[in-house]
Amino acid sequence: MNISAILSLLVGLALAPLLPGIINRVKAKFGGRRGQPILQMYFDLWKLLHKGAVYSRTTTWVFQAAPIVGLAAVIAAMLIVPFGGANALVGFPGDLVLMAGLLGLGRFFTMIAALDTGSSFEGMGASREAHFSALGEPVLLLALAVVGRKTVSFSLSDIFGALTPWHWAQSFVPLALVVTVLLVVMLAENARIPVDDPNTHLELTMIHEVMVLDHGGPDFAFIVYGAALKLWLMGALLVNVLLPIHSGHLWIDLAVGVIGMCGVAVVVGIIESIMARLRLLFVPQLLVGAGVMAAVALVVMQ
């Protein structure tokens, strides 16, 4: 049994709700406010788990199953993504395709649960989510393919395990493009600015938040926690490329990984503080531009 892989997974499951707290604290500092506690999401999850859930008579089992399936899909995807210098618990050639498929499965259930409510607002959010995810998933796979070509691997554990600072010295430009692309995809997949504003309450402009308006209690806790895990997962992909450090000491590698994740959260907070949300018409252009950057990185990668 791979103890380091289990420990890395447990670190992700435990610390994922910390990332939104860091993002909100950074945004508060930019706004001249004290801000909410960094551990606020832990308190929110505890409160939601002790509430009851209310279901409309118009919904079916799909609405009740979506939060559970979405959370299970993200946790399963985390089994494939390595972190902290350790291999993932599950690894095989082509597992990056399975990771994208699991994220797509969770997204699919979230969308059909939104449609199950019969709300026109949630239907609009599901439509936007389907549109943007259809553009974002190929970009994600293409960016990972660039790193896979460099390391001559097709498994996430092998790709990130073989990546070293020497590869950065040899292929700085394509790897820098990959980091930029992964950052854009992370913002899009997690409905962050400039793609979506997680703090807005205007249904006409929301994407992810509008799809989960009718969920409450433990169901909403699963959704919130699943969103935090997805942010951690996408951030782990970015950190694995940006900080390919493998010292051989578990605690040092884990510490570097956690520091890197906190740094990613700070960068997201800075982006959300200095940028405005793009108009919905411009979001596809952003994702297509990221795809072009990934394609250029694939071409110039040696």
Side-chain angles (χ1 to χ4, degrees), residues 48 67 114 172 223 232 245 269 297:
L48 289 171
F172 177 81
I223 292 173
W232 180 277
I245 299 175

Side-chain angles (χ1 to χ4, degrees), residues 116-194:
D116 194 42
T117 62
S119 168
S120 59
F121 285 123
E122 297 194 30
M124 285 192 297
S127 175
R128 296 164 184 165
E129 181 77 6
H131 182 197
F132 298 154
S133 63
L135 298 174
E137 287 181 357
V139 176
L140 173 62
L141 292 176
L142 187 58
L144 294 176
V146 176
V147 189
R149 179 181 178 183
K150 182 63 181 178
T151 58
V152 196
S153 305
F154 198 46
S155 169
L156 289 176
S157 293
D158 294 337
I159 289 174
F160 297 132
L163 191 65
T164 63
W166 179 82
H167 291 104
W168 270 95
Q170 187 182 35
S171 304
F172 177 81
V173 173
L175 288 178
L177 290 175
V178 168
V179 169
T180 305
V181 170
L182 289 177
L183 178 60
V184 172
V185 173
M186 183 185 69
L187 296 175
E189 287 286 327
N190 291 278
R192 313 295 308 193
I193 290 176

Side-chain angles (χ1 to χ4, degrees), residues 53-242:
V54 178
Y55 303 108
S56 170
R57 289 191 297 268
T58 63
T59 59
T60 64
W61 65 270
V62 174
F63 182 81
Q64 301 182 32
I68 301 175
V69 174
L71 178 59
V74 176
I75 294 177
M78 290 185 65
L79 298 176
I80 304 173
V81 179
F83 178 76
N87 290 331
L89 275 174
V90 179
F92 53 87
D95 55 8
L96 55 91
V97 179
L98 177 60
M99 179 205 67
L102 288 170
L103 295 180
L105 175 65
R107 182 186 301 108
F108 172 74
F109 267 85
T110 302
M111 291 189 299
I112 62 175
L115 297 175
D116 194 42
T117 62
S119 168
S120 59
F121 285 123
E122 297 194 30
M124 285 192 297
S127 175
R128 296 164 184 165
E129 181 77 6
H131 182 197
F132 298 154
S133 63
L135 298 174
E137 287 181 357
V139 176
L140 173 62
L141 292 176
L142 187 58
L144 294 176
V146 176
V147 189
R149 179 181 178 183
K150 182 63 181 178
T151 58
V152 196
S153 305
F154 198 46
S155 169
L156 289 176
S157 293
D158 294 337
I159 289 174
F160 297 132
L163 191 65
T164 63
W166 179 82
H167 291 104
W168 270 95
Q170 187 182 35
S171 304
F172 177 81
V173 173
L175 288 178
L177 290 175
V178 168
V179 169
T180 305
V181 170
L182 289 177
L183 178 60
V184 172
V185 173
M186 183 185 69
L187 296 175
E189 287 286 327
N190 291 278
R192 313 295 308 193
I193 290 176
V195 176
D196 189 20
D197 188 353
N199 296 324
T200 186
H201 297 287
L202 181 60
E203 292 88 346
L204 289 173
T205 61
M206 288 192 292
I207 301 175
H208 173 76
E209 297 298 324
V210 73
M211 293 192 296
V212 298
L213 284 177
D214 287 340
H215 290 281
D219 291 341
F220 191 58
F222 295 156
I223 292 173
V224 172
Y225 183 52
L229 291 180
K230 187 176 181 180
L231 181 61
W232 180 277
L233 184 148
M234 300 299 296
L237 295 176
L238 182 59
V239 170
N240 281 326
V241 177
L242 192 59

